[in-house]
Amino acid sequence: MSFLNFPRFLIFSGLLVGTLLTFSGAVHAATTADVGLSGSVSSTLAITSTATAGASTLALDGAASGVEQIVKVADFSMSTNNEQGLSLSVPAGNLTKSGGTAIAYLVNVVTDGASAPATGAFASGTQTYTTSAAGSAVRDLYIKYTPAALQDPGTYTGTITLTVTDQ
C-alpha cells in the first residue's frame, strides 16, 4: 500500500465503521421498556367472641339431669377483606371433669338474634359456616347437651375454639 492510498483507506475504513455503527445501533435500539409494579394488601381476617351468661352457668344436675339442654353460649362477629369470603369451623366437644364422665355437646351457629335452633338442627362433628364475599357477619353460638341422670358431682369445663380462615 502506498502512502498516497493511505488517506483513502482511512476514509473508506472510517465510512465502513461509521456505517456499521449506525446500522448496528438502529437494529438493537429498544422501542419498549418494562416497569415492574407490585404492592400488597394485608388480610383483615378477624373474629371476636363474647361468652353469654349461660356459658358459665350450664344446667348439669337437678331438673336438668337426663334432659336435653339447648343453650346460647356466645355472641361473635367475624370479618374479612377477602373478596371470596371466609370460612368458620366450630367443633363439637365435651364438658369434662377429672375423674368424671364427660358430657358431650353439639354446636350450631345461627344468625344474630335468631331463636334457639331446634334439636334436629345440631349435627355431630364440626359445623362449617361460609360467606362468599368480603364483609362481616354477626352470629350466635348454641350448644346442645344432655347431662346424665346421675352425673358425677363437681365442676365440668370445656372450650369451644372458633376458627376462621379466608376462602
Side-chain angles (χ1 to χ4, degrees), residues 3-88:
F3 183 71
L4 293 175
N5 289 333
F6 187 69
R8 270 192 257 164
F9 175 74
L10 281 178
I11 293 172
F12 178 75
S13 309
L15 287 174
L16 182 61
V17 169
T19 303
L20 288 175
L21 288 175
T22 301
F23 286 125
S24 165
V27 171
H28 289 82
T31 58
T32 63
D34 293 332
V35 176
L37 303 173
S38 69
S40 62
V41 175
S42 299
S43 173
T44 61
L45 182 66
I47 186 168
T48 58
S49 67
T50 304
T52 64
S56 59
T57 57
L58 297 173
L60 301 178
D61 63 2
S65 295
V67 177
E68 179 181 273
Q69 304 291 312
I70 295 177
V71 179
K72 180 179 170 183
V73 294
D75 293 304
F76 65 96
S77 64
M78 52 197 167
S79 63
T80 184
N81 61 340
N82 183 330
E83 64 186 30
Q84 286 82 37
L86 57 78
S87 179
L88 168 75

